[in-house]
Amino acid sequence: MNMKEIKQLLKPYGLKLTLPRLKVVEIFLSNNTALTCAELLRLTNEVFDRVSVYRTLKAFEEAGIIHRIVGATSSPSYALSHLGKPEKEPNHPQHLHFSCIKCNCVYCLDDQLVPSVTLPDIYDVHSLSMTVVGICRNCNGKQDLTL
């Protein structure tokens, strides 16, 4: 996807289109796994400083462009929410994530919805996340399976 198309994708969010933001979106669109801040820095060839990448991630998360995933590693990963993907449902239901203990990759399982949980009324739930931890199909040698 070229920069003009990326700008069009970001336009509805009303964010300033800085070079770090455009590059981060380009990286997310070209990867099929969630990425950590360290991976994003490496993939930008460390052209941008850590603060620029953190601020970009924060702005994108607040705008709903990406979502944070806590996986098997101590660093959170981030993945695109809707940007560049056909929207299946208007409210984008929460989905499962898979975190591989061998390669540390984190995958969004968009078709696997988080099961509903009923809590006592004293709790005000804002979100629910669920990460399945195990060995991914690439590390398992099961590359012919589809997610």
Side-chain angles (χ1 to χ4, degrees):
M1 185 170 277
N2 65 40
M3 284 297 168
K4 185 177 179 181
E5 293 170 319
I6 292 171
K7 286 178 183 180
Q8 286 300 99
L9 288 173
L10 286 175
K11 195 174 184 177
Y13 294 95
L15 297 172
K16 187 175 178 184
L17 301 179
T18 63
L19 189 56
R21 288 178 179 175
L22 296 172
K23 185 63 178 174
V24 166
V25 168
E26 181 182 47
I27 291 169
F28 273 122
L29 289 171
S30 64
N31 281 278
N32 65 347
T33 64
L35 301 167
T36 64
C37 186
E39 290 169 326
L40 283 167
L41 278 169
R42 183 180 51 78
L43 291 169
T44 61
N45 297 320
E46 299 185 10
V47 171
F48 308 112
D49 63 10
R50 184 180 309 271
V51 174
S52 294
V53 174
Y54 276 120
R55 285 182 182 158
T56 297
L57 291 173
K58 183 178 182 203
F60 283 179
E61 188 175 7
E62 288 173 356
I65 296 169
I66 61 171
H67 58 279
R68 180 192 310 242
I69 307 158
V70 178
T73 65
S74 59
S75 298
S77 297
Y78 300 87
L80 290 175
S81 293
H82 285 305
L83 195 68
K85 297 179 183 178
E87 194 171 327
K88 294 179 183 177
E89 294 185 27
N91 62 354
H92 189 62
Q94 295 175 347
H95 55 274
L96 294 177
H97 297 95
F98 187 89
S99 181
C100 181
I101 58 175
K102 279 192 170 183
C103 66
N104 293 325
C105 287
V106 178
Y107 301 89
C108 288
L109 303 176
D110 292 322
D111 294 333
Q112 301 293 316
L113 301 183
V114 172
S116 64
V117 175
T118 305
L119 295 175
D121 291 338
I122 59 171
Y123 299 103
D124 184 19
V125 178
H126 292 250
S127 67
L128 176 67
S129 66
M130 183 178 283
T131 303
V132 179
V133 179
I135 300 173
C136 72
R137 65 182 180 182
N138 294 328
C139 293
N140 228 355
K142 297 179 181 178
Q143 295 185 22
D144 59 336
L145 298 176
T146 58
L147 293 178

